């Protein structure tokens, strides 16, 4: 087994000059001895993986609420898919796979139950108390809320992973400078952080499409108006008669095509901009991105998913139902805060009543929030 230091030297020898090296990490908030057999970023990945917040992602919504069926993506399976794509891209670009994977594992750790509907509801509830945004909440989870170590709060992750969480940026994630105040708001994320950004888009576009077709909320005829889908449908239909196998093949091709395009375009930008260091990455606009052609195709797919899947009447019904759950739970807890566990009550004086309530509800799974609603509002349900 290689020692931690030998693994660091291996990184320095094999990775590109613009990669983040474990040996050059900006470190942790609280000093701890180095791991004997892991690099700093490998250790971070393990710390996130073993956290309670990570395990709760298993029962948090991606698009379809967890109880709808066993085969739809959850926030956890989505996270694992993002991690797989990010690791593949990092390897192709010669940068730090462990850092990319650690950021990917943590990128959705601050999500509420019921997906973006839950986040919107909590933001509205908290609008007079600092609001709610899941990247900020993710950072709060790993820096403060997780309690697994006696010497410090949080998971005590490296600066680079924490930065990747708060600077996570997609169509649905757009952190402002106030959120970034401790993480150089005027500079871009590391190349590994940028990889996770685009891996997230690739995963949710392709896999939400797959789940949408599985649910019957969207269909192939509708998708033929989308160039990116039509291209692979016509190519693969010639050799596949089974519609389900054809769908799986199209999703694989979509993922592969987007990864290949992003890697190729990124390498071209690196060469064009003369990127040679981490600092070069940070002072430029996004280096990790699609070609203009793929970006245009991808945008049309995203617009389709928004209009036909995320705005499908059955999805909207569940979203509005989720909002009512969140509002009702917040109100009833607020009527008598003593209904919260002691570990939360202990933080009221330091964190504020509303923020503690927000933390409690944000940490719930879909299943727990629904069960709690039933316990609190249905008179014959046992506590």
């Amino acid at each position: 087994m290689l020692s931690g230091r030998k693994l660091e030297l291996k990184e320095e020898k094999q990775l590109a000059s613009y990669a983040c090296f474990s040996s050059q990490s900006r470190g942790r908030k609280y000093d701890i001895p180095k791991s004997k057999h892991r690099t700093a970023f490998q250790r971070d990945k393990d710390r996130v993986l073993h956290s309670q917040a990570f395990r709760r992602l298993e029962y948090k919504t991606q698009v379809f609420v967890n109880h709808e069926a066993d085969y739809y993506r959850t926030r956890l399976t989505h996270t694992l898919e993002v991690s797989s794509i990010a690791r593949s891209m990092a390897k192709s670009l010669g940068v730090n796979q462990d850092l990319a994977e650690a950021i990917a594992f943590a990128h959705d750790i601050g999500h509420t139950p019921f997906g973006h509907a839950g986040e919107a509801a909590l933001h509205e509830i908290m609008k007079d108390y600092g609001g709610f945004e899941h990247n900020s909440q993710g950072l709060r989870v790993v820096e403060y809320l997780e309690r697994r170590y006696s010497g410090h709060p949080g998971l005590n992750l490296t600066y680079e992973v924490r930065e990747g969480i708060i600077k996570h940026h997609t169509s649905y994630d757009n952190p402002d400078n106030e959120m970034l105040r401790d993480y150089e708001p005027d500079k871009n994320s590391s190349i590994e952080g940028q990889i996770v950004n685009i891996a997230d888009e690739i995963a949710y576009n392709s896999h939400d499409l797959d789940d949408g077709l599985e649910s019957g909320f969207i269909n192939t005829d509708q998708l033929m108006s989308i160039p990116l889908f039509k291209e692979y449908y016509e190519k693969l239909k010639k050799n596949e008669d089974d519609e389900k196998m054809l769908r799986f093949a199209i999703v694989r091709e979509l993922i592969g095509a987007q990864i290949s395009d992003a890697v190729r375009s990124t390498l071209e930008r690196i060469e064009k901009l003369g990127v040679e260091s981490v600092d070069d990455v940070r002072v430029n606009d996004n280096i990790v991105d699609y070609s203009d052609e793929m970006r245009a195709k991808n945008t049309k797919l995203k617009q389709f998913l928004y209009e036909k899947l995320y705005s499908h009447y059955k999805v909207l019904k569940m979203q509005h139902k989720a909002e009512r759950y969140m509002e009702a739970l917040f109100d009833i807890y607020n009527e008598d805060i003593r209904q919260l566990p002691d570990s939360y009550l202990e933080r009221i004086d330091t964190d504020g009543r509303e923020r503690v309530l927000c933390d409690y509800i944000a940490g719930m799974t879909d299943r727990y929030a629904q069960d709690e609603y039933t316990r609190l509002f249905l008179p014959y349900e046992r506590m």
Side-chain angles (χ1 to χ4, degrees), residues 107-108 110-111 116 119 132-139 172-173:
H107 84 281
D108 269 353
H111 256 293
H116 290 287
E119 178 174 9
F132 180 88
E133 195 277 333
H134 82 263
N135 285 342
S136 296
Q137 187 70 10
L139 195 62
Y172 303 98
D173 309 279

Side-chain angles (χ1 to χ4, degrees), residues 7 47 66 71 81-82 98 122 151 163 171 200 221 223 237 245-246 248 287 289 298 308 315 328 355 383:
L7 289 171
R47 287 187 165 217
N66 182 260
Y71 43 74
E81 288 164 348
V82 173
D98 294 319
L122 261 189
E163 179 199 43
S171 303
D200 189 20
D221 290 341
L223 279 161
K237 178 68 175 173
M245 292 301 108
L246 177 59
F248 294 156
I287 290 172
D289 204 349
N298 194 274
K308 301 298 183 182
V315 174
R355 185 54 60 184
M383 298 304 289

Side-chain angles (χ1 to χ4, degrees), residues 121 124-125 322-332:
E124 178 64 23
I125 292 166
E323 290 169 3
R324 292 193 294 273
Y325 277 138
M326 304 288 272
E327 291 164 3
L329 288 173
F330 191 95
D331 288 344
I332 200 167

Side-chain angles (χ1 to χ4, degrees), residues 76-352:
L76 178 61
T77 57
H78 165 73
T79 294
L80 296 176
E81 288 164 348
V82 173
S83 172
S84 175
I85 292 169
R87 192 170 186 93
S88 294
M89 290 184 66
K91 186 171 185 178
S92 295
L93 292 168
V95 299
N96 202 308
Q97 298 173 53
D98 294 319
L99 175 56
E101 195 164 25
I103 296 169
F105 276 1
H107 84 281
D108 269 353
I109 209 166
H111 256 293
T112 65
F114 309 120
H116 290 287
E119 178 174 9
L122 261 189
H123 181 65
E124 178 64 23
I125 292 166
M126 293 295 293
K127 64 184 179 182
D128 295 328
Y129 311 103
F132 180 88
E133 195 277 333
H134 82 263
N135 285 342
S136 296
Q137 187 70 10
L139 195 62
R140 183 171 170 81
V141 167
V142 302
E143 289 189 335
Y144 178 62
L145 293 178
E146 278 283 330
R147 300 295 167 104
R148 301 186 64 80
Y149 306 94
S150 59
H152 55 76
L155 301 179
N156 198 24
L157 306 179
T158 58
Y159 174 94
E160 290 77 12
V161 176
R162 289 181 281 125
E163 179 199 43
I165 296 169
I166 196 61
K167 287 185 177 177
H168 184 59
H169 189 120
T170 68
S171 303
Y172 303 98
D173 309 279
N174 193 14
D176 59 33
N177 279 359
E178 176 58 25
M179 297 177 194
L180 303 176
R181 61 186 180 276
D182 297 326
Y183 293 90
E184 298 183 321
D186 296 328
K187 291 187 178 181
N188 211 334
S189 185
S190 64
I191 196 165
E192 290 84 359
Q194 292 180 39
I195 285 170
V196 175
N197 292 345
I198 203 163
D200 189 20
E201 285 204 10
I202 292 170
Y204 68 64
N205 283 342
S206 304
H207 295 143
D208 290 356
L209 171 67
D210 188 23
D211 282 351
L213 287 166
E214 180 70 38
S215 70
F217 289 6
I218 57 177
N219 59 58
T220 300
D221 290 341
Q222 292 173 311
L223 279 161
M224 292 304 283
S225 64
I226 307 304
L228 194 57
F229 181 89
K230 183 179 180 181
E231 175 183 345
Y232 291 107
Y233 182 89
E234 292 178 343
K235 171 185 172 184
L236 297 168
K237 178 68 175 173
K238 300 171 186 175
N239 301 314
E240 184 59 74
D241 295 327
D242 186 301
E243 282 295 318
K244 197 165 190 176
M245 292 301 108
L246 177 59
R247 188 181 89 223
F248 294 156
I250 291 169
V251 170
R252 287 195 300 272
E253 288 286 335
L254 285 174
I255 293 171
Q258 290 174 90
I259 291 173
S260 296
D261 180 89
V263 168
R264 182 173 59 253
S265 299
T266 298
L267 289 171
E268 289 172 359
R269 286 187 199 90
I270 287 169
E271 184 175 357
K272 181 180 178 181
L273 295 169
V275 173
E276 295 181 350
S277 68
V278 174
D279 288 338
D280 290 342
V281 172
R282 293 184 182 281
V283 299
N284 279 289
D285 292 333
N286 282 344
I287 290 172
V288 182
D289 204 349
Y290 301 116
S291 65
D292 290 342
E293 180 184 3
M294 180 61 78
R295 173 59 68 187
K297 290 180 179 179
N298 194 274
T299 297
K300 288 186 178 180
L301 176 58
K302 285 195 289 188
Q303 289 172 342
F304 173 88
L305 290 172
Y306 179 81
E307 293 170 4
K308 301 298 183 182
L309 178 60
Y310 308 144
S311 298
H312 189 280
Y313 76 94
K314 289 186 177 180
V315 174
L316 291 177
K317 280 184 177 181
M318 189 61 234
Q319 288 176 351
H320 290 303
K321 185 178 180 180
E323 290 169 3
R324 292 193 294 273
Y325 277 138
M326 304 288 272
E327 291 164 3
L329 288 173
F330 191 95
D331 288 344
I332 200 167
Y333 292 140
N334 204 21
E335 287 178 11
D336 190 344
I337 195 73
R338 293 174 301 172
Q339 296 175 93
L340 266 61
D342 289 344
S343 59
Y344 286 85
L345 296 177
E346 291 165 0
R347 293 198 285 106
I348 290 175
D349 289 343
T350 54
D351 295 6

